[in-house]
Every structure is written in C-alpha cells, then in structure tokens.
C-alpha cells in the first residue's frame, strides 16, 4: 500500500502530522458515507493506523438483507453481536441472541468503564456511555436461567425432529408419514410420549393396517424411531417438548420506552447438546417465517435474529434440509426479519445460503495448519476485490478488529474495510445469576410459560382406547344378554376403532397437506413442516 500517487486529502483530526489520506482510503470512506440511519461499527484501519475520520457503518434498512459474523475463537465475535444488538435495540428493533457460552446476559446491565474501554473509545472516536438494554431471558425447556421455551411435537414437525433424532432420509420420510396419520386422525402430538404411543399403535396388530394404503411403516423403521426416542429421552431431552408452546411473536416486542427488546436464549445448560439447540433455533426461525406477514422493504427490520454456532445446523444435513434453510433465508427478508449466521469461517455455511448474506463482519482467522490455510484462501475469495492483501490482514487482525463489507443504501456492496470495532456500552460479561433469576420471575411472560401443562393428547387417547379394548374382551357377567355384549362382532369392533373414535370427537382437526411428488407423502405445514399452533 503506497500513497505516493494519491491526491492530497484532509488528515484525520487528532492525528498530529498525519499524511494526506491515500486514494483507496478516500474511496472506502465515500462507500460508507450513508445519509440515512445506520449502525456504527468502528473506524477504518489502514497501513497499521486507525483513522477515526473514516467511520464504518451499516445502513439500518439493510439489516434485513442478512449477514455473517465469522472468525476464530477468541477474536471478538460475541462482542460484535453485542455491539450490533445494542444499537438495533436503541433504534427500536427487537433482537434475538443465542447465548451459548453464557456471557451475553450482560447486555441487560450498564457496562463498566476501564482503561481498555477508554482506550478503544478514544481510538475510534466513540462517545462511550454505559447503558443497559431491555431484555427477556429464555431457556430451552426451562433448563437453565430463563423463561421455558417449549415446542409441541406437532409444531416442531417431522423434518426438524428427524434432524434432532439423527434419522436418515428413509426414516425421515416414515416419520413424516406418522405425522400425516396423526394429524388426519386428530391425535395431537404434544410431547415425546405421544409420538411413541402413535408409533407403537401403528406397528400393533390393530394399527398396522392403517398406513398400508399410503406406504406403510416397516417394523424395522419403527424400531429405529422408537430407539432414537428412548435415547433422546435418556439424555434428558423430554422437557423441550410440551405445552404451553412458545409463541415466537414474543420475540418481536418493543419496550415501553420505544427500544427493541433483546431476547436472550440462555444455552449454557445445553451447550453439550449442540444439534438440539441449533435445530431449535431453526424451529424458532421457521415458525416466525410461517406466522409473520409480508411487509417488503421497510425502513428498519421487524426483528434481527443472530444464529450462533451456525455450523452445527449444517453438519450432516440432508439436501432437502439445506434447501429448506436456503428458502427460509431467501424469503424471510420480505417479512422484515434479518438473519445473521455466526460461525468460524464462511466455508461452514453452504454456498447457496452464503449467497443470501449481504453484510459481512470477518474477524481474524488462524493459518497454523494446511487446512487452516486452505480455509483462509477460501474466505478471501468470498470478498469483493480489495486494495488490501486480505490473506495477510485476516491473520494479523487483533481482538475486536474485523474486515467488513455491507450493503449500501442502494443495495450495492460497500468497499472492503479493515475496522477497529467500537466497545459495547453494556456489560461485557454475564450478569449475576440471582439478578438474572429475578428478571425472569418479574417478566410478564413468566406466568404464561413457566409451568408445563399436560393435557389430553395422543397418548391419553390411545391409552384409553387400549383400556376400552381390554375391558370389552373381558368375560361378561352371566346376567348380561349375549346380544348386548356384542362379543366377536367385527362391525362393533370397527365402530369403536381408534380411527372412528378420534374422527368422531370434537378435537378432530386436519393440519396436513400431502406432497404427491415425495416418497411417503411427507406432511408439510410450512417449509420445514412446522405447524401453526392454536392461538
């Protein structure tokens, strides 16, 4: 990088004796000179110097064009999320954050000024003021500190559940068939015991004929599903499925003072179950997609959703599953929702998904091994042309520094800019667990979701049917006329079958739509097969 041929320009204020800015810097500065509302990320880094006159920003209306925050462990990704979330909240935009390590809860409390904060604020010309932001804390199934987030089995759907249970494609299609049957017959799948009861019934002498007309369910496949459910429960997963089911519209709330609510999903208690929580995050996103109305281009997003540890979602995913993710990301933008995937390298995200991510914040990468070097070169290729030597820059960035490119107000990519990021104004660390518990108990949502409810569903209906069948087959009292007992009459047995009993009940409701082109006519309710809950 040389500036011998660059035209003279005004030196940054506060940099005594600084030379004129080179032409590439002026071009970068003009690329980030937005006129509308924007989030401030930090100041430009060039030739080893921080230039506070050149501020790097993201236009607020472009936050629903999705993004990627990437970088090696310890490079500052979490603080970048916190910085962006604070500014979104301040501008009235609700935010969802997954707190995998347990250190994001500090966004609810004012930060603490110290030498590092003062130094960083001075370097990037930030007027740093400690501030906390309105938060709601959630926990999957109530495991950990937070309002319980549960999903019904029906609401979760067969596609996402297959991912959690690690079923193969054939088993996934069979599970879809089971959902199809249960939905058609009004057997509501609320929790895991409901699903087990339906699978057991469909492989019993009485029920195995129910699916013959639409593909059937093999005993071997049913056995795999039942064993997977048993292992899943043995790992303590039962609390995640049940009622009351979480209403994802809660994530779009705005506080009384006009700031967007920051919804923090506390995951430390389940961080050893990555496939579970990553799939649950996808359920939240899919449910939002299913329920939100189309709004088109808006002045600011309705919600920005940060998808942490995103690589876990894509590991061992089927093509159909990846296609569904791609379609969700592509279409949810028109509903005013922005999605940021957070992971280590862009190669963790499939190309079709990566192509939808218009905003990029790339922290430092390591190049210690041949695989690291290969990943570094692949990352560089995903950026627009740049005056930087990105392979060198990306390995030399310090903590809290990143290479940035976003979409301008016109929707065009901005110049690549190495950036020293601002310091978050909230607490950079976890809040005290006791304070977190108090916040949860004082939340208006606590009374709505805290206590689990176990109402009548598939398990109870099928258990009642089994008890009724056992009673009808027992010897009758001698005084009862044989004609009234009806023993051995096939027609009476059919009239009291589970199908007739359930279809005749007041709770019968079909949520199913069949796919004629897919083997097993897998039920779909939305892109992922998630069902609209009862409001």
């Amino acid at each position: 990088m040389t500036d011998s041929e660059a035209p003279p320009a005004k030196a940054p204020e506060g940099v005594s004796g600084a030379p004129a800015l080179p032409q590439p810097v002026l071009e970068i500065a003009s690329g980030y000179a937005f006129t509308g509302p924007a989030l401030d990320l930090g100041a430009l880094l060039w030739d080893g110097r921080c230039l506070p006159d050149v501020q790097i920003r993201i236009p607020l209306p472009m936050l629903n064009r999705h993004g990627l925050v990437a970088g090696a462990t310890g490079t500052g990704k979490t603080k970048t999320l916190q910085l962006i979330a604070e500014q979104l909240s301040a501008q009235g935009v609700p935010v969802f954050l997954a707190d995998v390590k347990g250190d994001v809860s500090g966004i609810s409390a004012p930060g603490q000024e110290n030498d590092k904060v003062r130094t960083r604020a001075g370097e990037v010309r930030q007027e740093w003021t400690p501030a906390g932001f309105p938060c709601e804390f959630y926990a999957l199934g109530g495991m950990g500190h937070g309002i319980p987030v549960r999903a019904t089995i029906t609401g979760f759907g067969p596609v996402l559940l297959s991912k959690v249970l690690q079923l193969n494609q054939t088993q996934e299609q069979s599970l879809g068939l089971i959902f199809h049957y249960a939905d058609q017959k009004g057997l509501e799948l609320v929790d895991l015991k409901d699903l087990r009861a339906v699978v057991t019934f469909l492989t019993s002498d009485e029920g195995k004929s129910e699916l013959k007309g639409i593909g059937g369910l093999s005993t071997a496949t049913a056995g795999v599903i039942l064993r997977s459910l048993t292992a899943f429960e043995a790992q303590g997963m039962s609390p995640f499925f049940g009622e009351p089911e979480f209403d994802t519209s809660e994530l779009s709330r705005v506080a009384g003072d006009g700031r967007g609510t920051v919804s923090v999903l506390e995951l430390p208690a389940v961080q050893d179950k990555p496939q579970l929580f990553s799939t649950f995050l996808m359920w939240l996103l899919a449910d939002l997609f299913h329920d939100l109305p189309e709004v088109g281009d808006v002045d600011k997003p309705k919600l920005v959703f940060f998808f942490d540890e995103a690589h876990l979602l894509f590991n061992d995913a089927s093509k159909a599953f990846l296609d569904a993710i791609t379609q969700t990301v592509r279409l949810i933008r028109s509903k005013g929702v922005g999605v940021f995937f957070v992971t280590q390298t862009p190669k963790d995200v499939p190309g079709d998904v990566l192509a939808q991510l218009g905003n990029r914040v790339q922290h430092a990468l390591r190049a210690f091994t041949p695989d690291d070097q290969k990943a570094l070169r692949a990352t560089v290729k995903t950026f627009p042309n740049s005056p930087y030597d990105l392979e060198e820059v990306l390995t030399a960035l310090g903590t809290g520094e990143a290479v940035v490119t976003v979409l301008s107000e016109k929707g065009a990519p901005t110049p690549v800019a190495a950036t020293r990021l601002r310091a978050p104004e909230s607490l950079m660390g976890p809040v005290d667990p006791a304070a977190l518990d108090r916040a949860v108990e004082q939340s208006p949502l606590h009374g709505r979701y805290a206590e689990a409810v176990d109402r009548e569903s598939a398990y109870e209906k099928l258990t009642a049917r089994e008890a009724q069948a056992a009673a009808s087959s027992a010897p009758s009292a001698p005084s009862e006329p044989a004609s009234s007992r009806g023993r051995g009459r096939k027609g009476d047995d059919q009239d009291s079958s589970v199908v007739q009993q359930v279809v005749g009940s007041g709770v019968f409701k079909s949520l199913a739509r069949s796919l004629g082109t897919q083997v097993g006519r897998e039920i779909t309710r939305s892109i992922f097969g998630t069902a609209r809950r009862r409001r």
Side-chain angles (χ1 to χ4, degrees), residues 236-315:
M237 305 298 192
S238 294
F240 303 120
F241 295 101
E243 289 183 322
E245 184 171 52
F246 182 69
D247 186 346
T248 52
S249 66
E250 309 284 11
L251 304 179
S252 302
R253 295 190 301 134
V254 175
D257 59 6
R259 292 184 296 172
T261 298
V262 181
S263 298
V264 181
L265 182 63
E266 293 289 329
L267 295 172
V270 294
Q271 61 180 310
D272 60 336
K273 305 172 180 64
Q275 194 165 46
L276 173 73
F277 73 68
S278 65
T279 310
F280 249 88
L281 293 182
M282 197 66 237
W283 170 72
L284 291 172
L285 193 60
D287 199 69
L288 283 165
F289 174 82
H290 192 245
D291 289 353
L292 289 174
E294 296 279 341
V295 295
D297 291 325
V298 289
D299 294 335
K300 61 183 180 181
K302 302 294 184 183
L303 172 70
V304 176
F305 191 103
F306 288 93
F307 208 124
D308 204 0
E309 301 290 346
H311 63 282
L312 299 171
L313 181 69
F314 304 113
N315 288 348

Side-chain angles (χ1 to χ4, degrees), residues 374-404:
K374 183 178 179 180
L376 174 62
R377 289 192 292 271
T379 298
V380 169
K381 291 178 181 178
T382 64
F383 281 93
N385 291 332
S386 164
Y388 293 97
D389 180 344
L390 286 179
E391 284 196 34
E392 178 183 342
V393 170
L394 285 173
T395 55
L397 291 170
T399 301
E401 297 176 347
V403 171
V404 174

Side-chain angles (χ1 to χ4, degrees), residues 345-423:
T345 71
K347 72 180 183 65
D348 294 334
V349 181
D352 289 343
V353 176
L354 192 64
Q356 307 298 319
L357 312 182
N359 303 301
R360 298 276 302 277
V361 181
Q362 176 68 59
H363 287 264
L365 291 174
R366 311 303 179 207
F368 299 140
T369 68
D371 287 343
D372 291 341
Q373 294 168 0
K374 183 178 179 180
L376 174 62
R377 289 192 292 271
T379 298
V380 169
K381 291 178 181 178
T382 64
F383 281 93
N385 291 332
S386 164
Y388 293 97
D389 180 344
L390 286 179
E391 284 196 34
E392 178 183 342
V393 170
L394 285 173
T395 55
L397 291 170
T399 301
E401 297 176 347
V403 171
V404 174
T405 179
V406 301
L407 293 181
S408 70
E409 292 166 312
K410 297 180 180 179
T414 59
V416 175
T419 306
R420 183 161 293 163
L421 299 169
R422 292 182 166 222

Side-chain angles (χ1 to χ4, degrees), residues 11-344:
E13 296 178 10
V15 182
S16 177
L21 295 179
Q23 184 63 31
V25 171
L26 297 176
E27 292 175 357
I28 292 172
S30 65
Y32 290 88
F34 309 129
T35 58
L39 308 187
D40 296 311
L41 293 180
L44 182 71
L45 289 170
W46 183 266
D47 246 356
R49 293 187 296 128
C50 183
L51 306 179
D53 268 2
V54 184
Q55 291 290 312
I56 306 304
R57 313 164 74 211
I58 303 180
L60 185 61
M62 292 295 113
L63 267 295
N64 72 333
R65 303 301 176 91
H66 311 319
L68 176 73
V69 178
T73 300
T75 56
K77 296 191 299 294
T78 301
K79 302 313 169 198
T80 297
L81 304 189
Q82 194 167 340
L83 174 66
I84 296 174
E86 289 176 353
Q87 296 185 64
L88 286 168
S89 174
Q91 301 211 41
V93 178
V95 178
F96 172 87
L97 292 172
D99 187 7
V100 178
K101 298 186 291 290
D103 56 357
V104 179
S105 59
I107 196 171
S108 64
Q112 298 175 349
E113 189 173 10
N114 54 41
D115 290 342
K116 288 184 178 180
V117 169
R118 282 191 293 268
T119 299
R120 177 57 61 95
E123 290 171 342
V124 301
R125 197 170 296 158
Q126 174 187 5
E127 295 182 5
W128 189 89
T129 304
F133 296 83
C135 288
E136 287 285 0
F137 298 99
Y138 301 98
L140 287 185
M143 291 183 65
H145 304 276
I147 295 165
V149 174
R150 305 182 187 89
T152 64
I153 294 292
T154 293
F156 206 70
V159 178
L160 293 176
L161 188 60
S162 295
K163 170 80 169 161
V164 169
L165 296 178
Q166 302 181 49
L167 303 181
N168 64 28
Q169 183 177 0
T170 299
Q171 294 155 1
E172 178 182 324
Q173 291 169 347
S174 295
L175 187 62
L177 195 65
I178 294 166
F179 272 70
H180 178 83
Y181 172 81
D183 284 340
Q184 291 287 357
K185 306 309 178 187
L187 295 171
E188 296 186 40
L189 304 177
V190 173
D191 51 28
L192 292 175
K193 71 178 184 297
D194 290 324
L195 180 57
R196 182 186 293 103
V198 172
V199 175
T200 302
F201 169 74
L202 290 174
T203 53
S204 68
D205 291 339
E206 182 182 3
K208 62 185 178 182
S209 63
E210 295 283 349
L211 298 181
K212 280 188 176 180
I214 52 174
L217 176 65
S218 74
T219 303
T221 298
V224 171
I225 294 173
L226 288 172
R227 286 194 296 273
S228 297
L229 288 172
T230 300
F232 194 66
E233 285 186 293
Q235 297 171 28
M237 305 298 192
S238 294
F240 303 120
F241 295 101
E243 289 183 322
E245 184 171 52
F246 182 69
D247 186 346
T248 52
S249 66
E250 309 284 11
L251 304 179
S252 302
R253 295 190 301 134
V254 175
D257 59 6
R259 292 184 296 172
T261 298
V262 181
S263 298
V264 181
L265 182 63
E266 293 289 329
L267 295 172
V270 294
Q271 61 180 310
D272 60 336
K273 305 172 180 64
Q275 194 165 46
L276 173 73
F277 73 68
S278 65
T279 310
F280 249 88
L281 293 182
M282 197 66 237
W283 170 72
L284 291 172
L285 193 60
D287 199 69
L288 283 165
F289 174 82
H290 192 245
D291 289 353
L292 289 174
E294 296 279 341
V295 295
D297 291 325
V298 289
D299 294 335
K300 61 183 180 181
K302 302 294 184 183
L303 172 70
V304 176
F305 191 103
F306 288 93
F307 208 124
D308 204 0
E309 301 290 346
H311 63 282
L312 299 171
L313 181 69
F314 304 113
N315 288 348
D316 302 320
S318 67
K319 184 180 184 302
F321 189 80
L322 293 177
D323 288 345
I325 295 174
T326 303
Q327 190 175 0
T328 301
V329 173
R330 181 182 297 120
L331 298 179
I332 203 169
R333 180 192 68 79
S334 64
K335 301 194 174 191
V337 177
V339 182
F340 275 71
F341 291 97
V342 185
T343 188
Q344 294 203 358

Side-chain angles (χ1 to χ4, degrees), residues 458-472:
Y459 172 80
E460 287 77 15
K461 293 172 184 176
L462 291 173
T463 300
R465 165 58 189 155
E466 184 180 350
Q468 181 182 2
S472 65

